[in-house]
Amino acid sequence: MGSTLLEIRDLRTHFVTDQGEIPAVDGMDLVIHQGEIVGVVGESGCGKSVTSLSVMRLIPQPPGKYAGGSILFKGEDLVQAKEKRMKQIRGDEISMIFQEPMTSLNPLLTIGDQIVETLRAHRSMSRKEASSQALEMLKKVGISRAETILRGYPHQLSGGMRQRVMIAIALCCEPELLIADEPTTALDVTIQAQILDLMKKLNEETGTAIMMITHDLGVVAEVCHRVVVMYAGKVVEEGTVREIFEKPRHPYTQGLIRSIPKIEEDVKRLYSIPGNVPKPGSVKEGCRFAARCEHVMDKCLHSLPELVPTTSPGHRSRCWLNTIEEVAN
Amino acid sequence: MSQPAIKLAPPPPAKTEVSSSWRDGWRSFRKNRLAMVGLGIIVFFVLIAVLAPFIAPYDYKEQELVNRLHKPGGEHWFGTDDLGRDIFSRIIYGTRISLWVGISSVVGSIVAGTMLGIVAGYYGRWLDALISRFFDILLAFPGILLAIAIVAALGPSLQNALLAIAIVNVPVFGRLVRARVLSLREEEYIMAARAIGMKNSRILWQHILPNCLGPIIVQGTLGIATAIIEAAALGFLGMGAQPPEPEWGKMLSDSRQFIQNAPWTVIFPGLSIMLTVLGFNLIGDGLRDVLDPRMKS
């Protein structure tokens, strides 16, 4: 594992609304090392996408605002960085791909133009050079007959092909970090597997670290090295994929894993965690998961546990149960 | 639990045909019979305007005072006016004026309106408020009244009439573009363009502007028709083209006292105005059908 690439420390991204300030991301911590694939998992509305847009500094301000914390990318704080610097970073050092490949490409430009445009925004190269590099990129992401596709328009491609093109655009400047915001959610299952395979392969070949935002634990198991589980704007558990799946420590993670249907069991009804995700900012004190937790204790309602290391190294969990077990041991 | 590890099969081949949305558009435009009639009319008038000196049997200024208010016939196909000028030749030369006024004033409105609309829609906030209020002020006056006021201030001439018509139509395009930009700004590919580090100016040129063109072109063709009518109206009021320029509206107003005895003096200029306006309107409607995704089957 390489050195630290991205370090998010106590990030707070709030949105100012008529009802007051809503903390969408409320003290988020995350470390991504060079060449690593980190999954960020959680339900809708837990702050995954806001975290990724915060790193890119693409949160519309207003209503969004950075209320605290820092985002260190190779030691440089992106929260404080000038907009001009951010424009250099975006697409060149950090890239992003979005959930909806059908709408992330400009319908009026050819596929080639859209890749060339990205290359020329960051590299001084002639149209011709950029164009031949675009062709290389398309081949790299597994597009056959790349010459034809280069001259084609988005509406002629299927969803899977478009997501491949998006990946080609995102990776053409060889970024060190790729943020993938639910890259396979809009695709059907066989295409999902192909795209995930492709991302894994590119990660191995180019060493680009990937921050994989998803709500699909299947995706995590398939490609990620490490997982961060988010709940209500905070990290509740992090660890390697193996640890999270085999020994989840936080009741929320346990619930998530229990709700995955298992092919060998014949159950009438799938497990689901009771209750709903609290509205951001509605839980003022105590553990944010307390209301839905089956192990809830008095302590949970009053004070928020810290993200503490568990017995295995690199595995951390934000739950009072851990500390109690440690005392018992 | 985890998805089955499927071996990477070669990606499905995409459709081979490479075609642009413009070519697709032309194909469906061609199927629209009325739009093609409109296009035919306009091509016809454009040819007349270009070839005017070769078609016109007489000079448009040439007066034959012995042949005043001559009936249409072999020598003067559309008859002559009260100064004995050949109406056919005057209408042919008038085509140049009307097309020039219509097209150039609309181009002017489009350029100004689009720039203001894009800035208002994309940057928003106080700039949007400022520009939108400016549009509201212009729209508060009836178009022709505002045009008259502008011409009155600048002095009557074809140039000033053209300018006045352009100014009056700026908010039409401005508001159209602003509304389009407001919805485009939320599109994911705009976010994606920002996520690859593109500059605002480049996003505006490469992504926003081309995606605004559809509605602008439709409104533009319809706008040419309105501009021609407005120019004719200003000409009729004596605030547009000055004699002896053969502007169609001016020809109407100069001849209206002879409408009973020599109706040909007003019929032919009137017909010409009607035909060009009809042509542009048919094209505009056809383009709207082509460019509106809801009309696609």
Side-chain angles (χ1 to χ4, degrees):
Chain A
M1 195 159 294
S3 53
T4 306
L5 182 65
L6 181 79
E7 185 177 2
I8 301 178
R9 274 196 217 138
D10 194 34
L11 177 70
R12 287 161 200 280
T13 307
H14 293 188
F15 287 92
V16 182
T17 67
D18 295 339
Q19 284 88 46
E21 242 177 81
I22 292 175
V25 173
D26 193 14
M28 167 83 182
D29 296 283
L30 175 72
V31 172
I32 296 179
H33 301 101
Q34 261 152 9
E36 195 180 29
I37 308 185
V38 177
V40 177
V41 201
E43 287 167 87
S44 313
C46 72
K48 300 174 306 226
S49 294
V50 176
T51 305
S52 65
L53 290 175
S54 299
V55 174
M56 296 298 278
R57 271 261 301 273
L58 286 176
I59 298 283
Q61 301 183 52
K65 74 173 209 196
Y66 289 91
S70 56
I71 301 168
L72 299 175
F73 178 69
K74 294 188 288 182
E76 184 180 358
D77 189 357
L78 300 186
V79 175
Q80 311 292 338
K82 294 226 161 55
E83 183 57 27
K84 203 175 157 203
R85 173 74 186 126
M86 282 313 298
K87 284 195 172 117
Q88 290 172 352
I89 291 176
R90 288 183 203 133
D92 193 1
E93 292 166 58
I94 308 178
S95 272
M96 186 159 182
I97 49 178
F98 295 89
Q99 177 173 352
E100 217 13 282
M102 305 311 271
T103 56
S104 329
L105 290 165
N106 185 337
L108 294 181
L109 293 182
T110 63
I111 302 299
D113 281 343
Q114 307 199 36
I115 307 178
V116 165
E117 179 181 73
T118 314
L119 280 165
R120 281 165 55 97
H122 295 291
R123 304 269 184 275
S124 53
M125 53 169 67
S126 70
R127 242 172 194 282
K128 222 172 147 195
E129 284 172 312
S131 184
S132 74
Q133 196 162 333
L135 191 66
E136 282 307 302
M137 261 338 279
L138 285 183
K139 286 179 182 159
K140 214 167 172 181
V141 295
I143 286 178
S144 56
R145 296 180 313 105
E147 287 88 352
T148 322
I149 301 300
L150 202 65
R151 279 177 283 121
Y153 287 83
H155 69 272
Q156 298 163 331
L157 305 185
S158 64
M161 295 283 275
R162 290 192 205 185
Q163 197 61 294
R164 282 174 197 272
V165 170
M166 285 309 295
I167 294 174
I169 292 176
L171 294 184
C172 66
C173 288
E174 297 168 340
E176 284 154 279
L177 176 64
L178 173 67
I179 299 176
D181 189 355
E182 310 234 7
T184 57
T185 308
L187 305 173
D188 62 52
V189 181
T190 49
I191 307 295
Q192 267 187 24
Q194 289 178 10
I195 295 290
L196 291 177
D197 267 356
L198 172 67
M199 293 180 72
K200 219 159 134 180
K201 190 183 114 211
L202 292 172
N203 163 263
E204 279 157 19
E205 281 172 10
T206 61
T208 299
I210 301 177
M211 176 172 165
M212 180 77 78
I213 312 260
T214 181
H215 60 250
D216 186 346
L217 286 167
V219 169
V220 170
E222 187 103 338
V223 296
C224 296
H225 302 137
R226 237 156 31 82
V227 193
V228 168
V229 182
M230 280 186 83
Y231 188 77
K234 269 186 179 316
V235 173
V236 292
E237 183 162 6
E238 66 170 325
T240 62
V241 171
R242 183 168 275 270
E243 278 164 336
I244 294 289
F245 277 91
E246 288 178 0
K247 286 179 283 177
R249 299 300 290 261
H250 196 281
Y252 177 63
T253 319
Q254 289 166 355
L256 281 183
I257 288 170
R258 264 174 71 193
S259 38
I260 303 171
K262 292 184 183 59
I263 204 153
E264 62 271 17
E265 282 172 23
D266 184 20
V267 285
K268 292 233 163 53
R269 209 182 144 78
L270 290 175
Y271 174 79
S272 70
I273 303 172
N276 286 312
V277 188
K279 259 170 69 188
S282 62
V283 183
K284 292 276 185 290
E285 58 174 6
C287 175
R288 283 167 172 72
F289 188 59
R292 302 170 71 188
C293 182
E294 47 190 345
H295 308 291
V296 64
M297 303 174 285
D298 275 351
K299 200 178 183 182
C300 303
L301 298 172
H302 307 302
S303 60
L304 176 72
E306 287 296 306
L307 194 60
V308 292
T310 64
T311 39
S312 33
H315 188 178
R316 298 196 294 167
S317 163
R318 189 190 289 281
C319 182
W320 288 121
L321 286 173
N322 298 315
T323 30
I324 289 166
E325 274 169 37
E326 261 164 51
V327 173
N329 286 343
Chain B
M1 174 194 73
S2 71
Q3 280 151 4
I6 293 168
K7 259 270 149 272
L8 229 183
K15 289 170 238 156
T16 30
E17 168 208 16
V18 172
S19 68
S20 73
S21 41
W22 292 111
R23 213 178 306 165
D24 290 347
W26 169 239
R27 209 169 293 146
S28 58
F29 184 83
R30 231 174 15 187
K31 280 197 209 117
N32 187 331
R33 198 165 295 165
L34 276 177
M36 287 309 283
V37 170
L39 188 66
I41 294 174
I42 298 311
V43 168
F44 172 70
F45 274 106
V46 167
L47 283 178
I48 287 183
V50 171
L51 301 174
F54 304 104
I55 304 172
Y58 299 90
D59 186 358
Y60 66 89
K61 297 193 291 276
E62 190 185 314
Q63 303 181 359
E64 282 179 56
L65 291 173
V66 281
N67 269 336
R68 298 171 62 209
L69 298 176
H70 202 284
K71 272 194 184 125
E75 216 171 312
H76 299 284
W77 290 1
F78 289 177
T80 59
D81 65 6
D82 56 321
L83 294 174
R85 295 176 295 196
D86 182 48
I87 292 181
F88 183 59
S89 304
R90 285 179 67 75
I91 284 190
I92 285 171
Y93 278 97
T95 312
R96 292 182 156 189
I97 297 179
S98 283
L99 288 184
W100 161 248
V101 168
I103 293 169
S104 62
S105 71
V106 162
V107 167
S109 316
I110 286 180
V111 171
T114 304
M115 282 196 312
L116 289 172
I118 280 188
V119 168
Y122 192 71
Y123 291 101
R125 307 207 212 172
W126 64 271
L127 259 175
D128 183 22
L130 191 76
I131 293 171
S132 294
R133 290 304 81 74
F134 170 64
F135 290 161
D136 289 347
I137 291 170
L138 283 186
L139 284 172
F141 300 98
I144 194 70
L145 202 65
L146 184 61
I148 291 171
I150 295 170
V151 175
L154 298 174
S157 77
L158 188 63
Q159 288 302 316
N160 290 340
L162 201 151
L163 186 69
I165 294 165
I167 293 174
V168 167
N169 287 321
V170 164
V172 175
F173 292 95
R175 287 178 20 134
L176 180 80
V177 170
R178 174 179 170 272
R180 181 91 181 114
V181 172
L182 281 181
S183 74
L184 279 175
R185 210 170 56 168
E186 306 300 323
E187 287 285 338
E188 208 156 42
Y189 57 83
I190 302 299
M191 182 64 112
R194 294 175 59 207
I196 56 172
M198 207 153 286
K199 293 195 196 85
N200 276 334
S201 56
R202 217 149 154 77
I203 293 178
L204 286 177
W205 265 112
Q206 281 273 22
H207 296 284
I208 304 260
L209 187 62
N211 279 294
C212 289
L213 281 183
I216 293 179
I217 291 172
V218 172
Q219 186 61 45
T221 33
L222 296 172
I224 292 175
T226 334
I228 289 176
I229 293 182
E230 278 164 356
L234 284 177
F236 187 84
L237 295 171
M239 308 196 83
Q242 298 302 306
E245 292 299 314
E247 205 271 322
W248 294 341
K250 183 83 183 129
M251 287 166 76
L252 277 182
S253 73
D254 288 346
S255 312
R256 72 181 188 285
Q257 45 188 316
F258 312 112
I259 195 164
Q260 308 249 322
N261 307 329
W264 57 88
T265 52
V266 288
I267 287 175
F268 292 110
L271 268 178
S272 309
I273 295 174
M274 196 201 81
L275 268 179
T276 30
V277 169
L278 180 71
F280 279 114
N281 272 329
L282 289 177
I283 293 181
D285 282 346
L287 282 176
R288 178 177 1 229
D289 293 352
V290 168
L291 296 171
D292 186 349
R294 277 168 306 180
M295 306 292 279
K296 286 213 174 103
S297 47

